[in-house]
Amino acid sequence: MGSPARELVEKIGIASASVFRDMIEMVCFVGDLSKVSWRVLRKPSQLRWKETLYYMDMCGSQAVPIVLMICFLMGVILGFQAAVQMRKFGTELYVADLVGFSILKELGPLMVAMIATGRAGSAFAAEIGTMKVNDEISALETMGFAPSRFLVIPKMLAMVIVSPVLTVFGDVIGIVGGFVVGTTMLGLPLMAYYNRTVEVLYPMVFMLGMVKSVVFALIIAVIGCLRGFQAECNAQGVGRATTSAVVTSIFLIVIADAVLTIIFSLMGY
Amino acid sequence: MSNECVVDVKNLTVGYGDIVVLQNISFSVSSGEIFVILGGSGCGKSTLLKHMIGLYTPFRGDVLIFGESMVNSSEDEKRKLMRRFGVTYQGGALFGSLTVAENIALPLEEYTTKTPAEINEVVQQKLAVVNLDGFGNYMPSELSGGMRKRAGLARAMALDPTLLFFDEPSAGLDPITSAELDRLILRLREELGTTIVIVSHELDSIFTVADRAILLDKDTKGIAATGKPKELRDSSPNLWVREFLSRSKLKRDM
Amino acid sequence: MIEANKFRLGLFVISGSVLFFIVIFVFGLSDIFVRKGKFVSLFNESVQGVAVGSPVKYKGVPIGTVSKISIQVNDKLIRVDMDIDMKAFVTDHQSGAKAVSSFNDFFEHESKMGLRCRLEYAGITGLKYVELNYFDQFPQAPVIERPKYITSNYFYVPSIPSQFKDILNLINTSLEKISRVQFDKISDEMTGTLKSMQRLLDDPKLKMMIDKMEKMSDNMEKSSSNVSKVLTESKLREIVDGLDTNLKSLNNLTISARGSIEGAKFIETAQSFREAAYSVTDARQALLSTLLKLDQTLDSLTELVNYLNDDPSSLLKGKHKPVVIAPSAK
């Protein structure tokens, strides 16, 4: 004790131990979840359909306006920035390539994931955290239920279904955003831009974006719920759980995005 | 009232993290008994309850419920065992996303093969027992604290368990509501022969309902006294026990 | 409270799914319904700038895309597979087997007529596309014959080097030719020639000959003055006779003079000098000036010889005198 250097080393040690513990907990949670998912898969009647539909509505259809808005603006911004640079070289038509590929491969799934993290991930953490404070989780357990079957599986399933659908919306409106810039600001002919977009994009790019969005959805649902379960039993604890859910989700989404991008490029796409 | 042992706590040592809260606790609850776990704030009575109902794993010792171990059984066996008793939590712990009726119907839907009509019948009956007729379609957030507790009790009784645990049943309730709840507990025992374990520090309730009580001591991390509350108050060899039980009594008399 | 808005959810799922299939269709499934011809070409140059999906154009009309780029290990050629959209070709038969066969016929014919493919730049970005066209105006590089491993269900279009490669080739061969010019030998030979020239000019015989000629012309002058002094009819005949013999001997002298001058081969030497000078386009300034001086000397020599050739009597008469003498002789 005493010397600042030693204190620093101790702090680093404590921090890494907590990160390590957190990772262990995450792995355990995923393991438990896989077990419950497998059971539900074998006996679909165990699935809580009502909750699933509710979360699909909450995380899906209610998120459409914000997804449309953000992704459209994303397309516009991307198109605009690309246009400014490409105009110098007289390669304005390549704006269609840039916007199309960026939106389909990266920004569509990523933006939807960010929105979903903010909307759904935080809501999941807060909901489960509050339930924990109110002993509802304990009640579920002492009623002989696996809490994750009630609380996690419906959220996970809803997110996995809804996220690709939202991504489709985001992709399309994002490309439309680029299209608007291309035709108004650059004065490219409507059909030229359209043809270029259709020419360079192929379904596999789109499908890879869908795969990404499913992975992101799983991360958001799992991390949101995990942080809820880990919440301390007071109001501040729930708040911290919510913050941590959003931060951890975004961090893991970015890592997953990088990993998936590498995998896809190794696969040759 | 038979002497069959429903809950048997053997050499239980519990705590959080590295801190031991209670050490070497042993007691048993007989069938049809109303058993109260008493203690001051922070003495670990809620912790003890949570270990008894299987939410936490103890450091050492075992809890037998209906003769089956809560600690050494697999998760599936534990869940099966859990269905045989009911737990009422402090705030009712009703699921906020479901109506009162849905809350009560949940275990019935999941564990029985009853038709929706039959389930509805059971739900109405349970609501009637706790004097909440007509509140089936209310959301938990629309009910008062006492009503929520009673709804929680109705849910705990949904599968007609022969053992009920209560966590602070009268906490945060006005004296009249609290007394109503006490009467309800007594009626349950009389009508259904249910064994009831209560964690509480509300002495007025305890003197009304308890057949037997244990008093937990924070300092010794063990049981300070066992016996009928009134007898303990009047003739315990331990001064602290008499003071604990009577000082509150004095307060109430003032 | 936890009740989904079924209508909104349904609308969301349905519209999302519809959009999904539209996107899939628009971005590529429509390709499935396009009839495609398979083209293949082999390049022995770098295909840098061409990628899978690069456009293929026939006389500038986009007709398809590059579908695969691979390296043939056995002959180290780069194989470029192309998918050609048959819809880009309007035939009499809009669809069916007939359209395919007429499409096939068309390209069979085109290929026989010398259709070639070449990589061309699509812009300044370095991207290239494959152009199908006739490239007669460019020097024909040896065409890669259709190898056996290209099966008959492919159209084989021979490739020709890209324009960039043409330019590179030209520069390379020019540099090679320049490097083959032996500047050392040229300069050695030139030094030798110059030395022999110097020797020729320093030859005492030439000096003596010129001296003698000068003396002769002096004598002539004297004799002419004598002629005018003793110009009588009888004597004139004698003199003319004497002059005749004199002229004859002068003729002989001239012939022998010409012979000795021709022996020096001034003209040929000058010619070879010029040739040498031409072959070295970037000759050094010093060499050029030396050559120029030499040229001038040679020119004046040639002039002299020509003059003597045209009018041998000038050797006797001097350069300008005959104009004075001739009328008096008549």
Side-chain angles (χ1 to χ4, degrees), chain B:
Chain B
M1 264 194 259
S2 74
N3 283 325
E4 194 197 335
C5 185
V6 178
V7 181
D8 200 357
V9 177
K10 285 179 178 169
N11 305 321
L12 199 67
T13 301
V14 301
Y16 299 101
D18 298 331
I19 305 150
V20 174
V21 180
L22 292 169
Q23 228 163 7
N24 251 346
I25 304 278
S26 293
F27 62 90
S28 57
V29 182
S30 318
S31 177
E33 199 178 16
I34 295 182
F35 186 86
V36 176
I37 299 167
L38 265 171
S41 304
C43 72
K45 51 189 192 303
S46 275
T47 311
L48 178 60
L49 179 76
K50 281 177 177 160
H51 280 85
M52 286 165 72
I53 59 178
L55 287 176
Y56 298 150
T57 311
F59 291 162
R60 260 195 314 281
D62 200 356
V63 177
L64 299 178
I65 289 182
F66 303 118
E68 285 176 51
S69 171
M70 205 65 178
V71 179
N72 299 317
S73 53
S74 77
E75 206 170 319
D76 287 336
E77 287 168 348
K78 205 158 109 179
R79 290 203 194 289
K80 249 176 218 163
L81 195 56
M82 279 171 163
R83 289 182 214 165
R84 295 174 62 187
F85 59 80
V87 184
T88 328
Y89 292 88
Q90 266 190 48
L94 297 170
F95 303 124
S97 54
L98 305 175
T99 64
V100 172
E102 282 170 337
N103 262 290
I104 299 166
L106 188 65
L108 295 166
E109 283 167 3
E110 292 288 332
Y111 294 133
T112 64
T113 48
K114 287 189 167 78
T115 62
E118 286 169 334
I119 287 172
N120 188 43
E121 203 179 308
V122 176
V123 169
Q124 295 309 324
Q125 184 212 326
K126 299 295 172 198
L127 281 172
V129 170
V130 297
N131 299 322
L132 281 174
D133 316 66
F135 286 96
N137 291 326
Y138 280 57
M139 297 305 294
S141 55
E142 295 167 318
L143 299 181
S144 72
M147 287 161 100
R148 257 183 255 169
K149 259 180 202 180
R150 279 184 282 155
L153 176 58
R155 187 182 63 185
M157 296 189 310
L159 293 169
D160 297 319
T162 52
L163 172 62
L164 275 174
F165 291 93
F166 284 84
D167 189 9
E168 308 272 2
S170 37
L173 296 184
D174 61 274
I176 294 166
T177 323
S178 180
E180 261 176 36
L181 202 64
D182 290 345
R183 276 199 294 279
L184 185 61
I185 290 168
L186 286 170
R187 210 177 77 212
L188 277 177
R189 199 259 303 263
E190 273 160 37
E191 288 176 7
L192 306 167
T194 318
T195 313
I196 292 166
V197 178
I198 300 169
V199 166
S200 181
H201 59 256
E202 295 282 318
L203 292 167
D204 7 2
S205 306
I206 293 158
F207 290 120
T208 323
V209 300
D211 292 330
R212 208 152 57 90
I214 53 169
L215 183 58
L216 299 177
D217 187 357
K218 199 173 172 179
D219 301 321
T220 60
K221 295 177 181 174
I223 300 172
T226 316
K228 271 185 170 296
K230 273 181 190 143
E231 284 170 13
L232 286 177
R233 183 188 65 194
D234 300 334
S235 58
S236 171
N238 191 329
L239 178 67
W240 178 78
V241 175
R242 269 178 289 156
E243 271 183 355
F244 184 91
L245 290 168
S246 56
R247 213 189 280 173
S248 307
K249 172 108 171 77
L250 284 171
K251 235 184 226 171
R252 196 172 61 125
D253 286 347
M254 276 191 329

Side-chain angles (χ1 to χ4, degrees), chain A residues 2-267:
Chain A
S3 78
R6 189 178 166 149
E7 253 172 59
L8 183 71
V9 172
E10 269 171 6
K11 268 182 189 164
I12 291 171
I14 290 166
S16 21
S18 85
V19 168
F20 187 71
R21 251 200 318 276
D22 193 36
M23 274 161 66
I24 296 277
E25 263 178 65
M26 228 177 259
V27 173
C28 287
F29 186 69
V30 171
D32 175 55
L33 218 54
S34 320
K35 200 172 101 187
V36 176
S37 306
W38 175 240
R39 279 188 190 178
V40 172
L41 223 69
R42 281 174 54 187
K43 262 177 85 182
S45 61
Q46 285 202 323
L47 184 68
R48 302 287 300 177
W49 282 107
K50 210 175 123 191
E51 275 88 349
T52 310
L53 288 178
Y54 167 77
Y55 288 116
M56 280 174 71
D57 186 28
M58 185 200 120
C59 308
S61 31
Q62 288 183 36
V64 169
I66 182 79
V67 164
L68 290 183
M69 180 87 169
I70 298 270
C71 287
F72 177 77
L73 288 177
M74 224 46 229
V76 169
I77 293 164
L78 212 60
F80 184 82
Q81 295 290 3
V84 171
Q85 299 303 319
M86 290 192 177
R87 191 181 260 172
K88 292 180 193 165
F89 305 104
T91 52
E92 287 101 325
L93 197 53
Y94 286 91
V95 170
D97 298 41
L98 191 133
V99 171
F101 275 110
S102 313
I103 293 278
L104 251 54
K105 276 187 158 173
E106 290 294 340
L107 288 173
L110 212 55
M111 281 299 133
V112 168
M114 294 299 155
I115 295 163
T117 308
R119 292 186 84 258
S122 60
F124 293 168
E127 185 191 309
I128 293 178
T130 312
M131 285 181 81
K132 196 179 172 190
V133 172
N134 290 340
D135 282 330
E136 289 176 48
I137 308 284
S138 302
L140 268 179
E141 281 202 52
T142 49
M143 282 161 84
F145 299 131
S148 41
R149 178 161 75 85
F150 278 76
L151 302 174
V152 186
I153 301 290
K155 294 183 176 69
M156 223 165 73
L157 184 66
M159 280 300 289
V160 165
I161 295 172
V162 140
S163 177
V165 182
L166 281 179
T167 307
V168 175
F169 280 103
D171 283 355
V172 171
I173 202 76
I175 288 172
V176 169
F179 191 75
V180 167
V181 173
T183 47
T184 55
M185 206 186 102
L186 296 173
L188 290 170
L190 219 93
M191 281 318 283
Y193 192 98
Y194 172 79
N195 283 335
R196 180 74 198 167
T197 304
V198 170
E199 194 187 319
V200 295
L201 298 179
Y202 45 97
M204 206 53 202
V205 179
F206 177 64
M207 292 311 288
L208 293 179
M210 296 290 112
V211 172
K212 274 188 180 179
S213 76
V214 170
V215 174
F216 296 164
L218 281 174
I219 290 173
I220 293 164
V222 169
I223 296 298
C225 295
L226 172 68
R227 290 297 186 232
F229 280 120
Q230 288 173 337
E232 291 156 55
C233 288
N234 53 52
Q236 288 76 27
V238 175
R240 277 196 295 274
T242 312
T243 309
S244 170
V246 172
V247 173
T248 313
S249 292
I250 288 177
F251 178 67
L252 288 181
I253 283 168
V254 171
I255 287 180
D257 191 19
V259 171
L260 285 175
T261 305
I262 290 168
I263 290 172
F264 291 158
S265 63
L266 285 180
M267 282 162 61

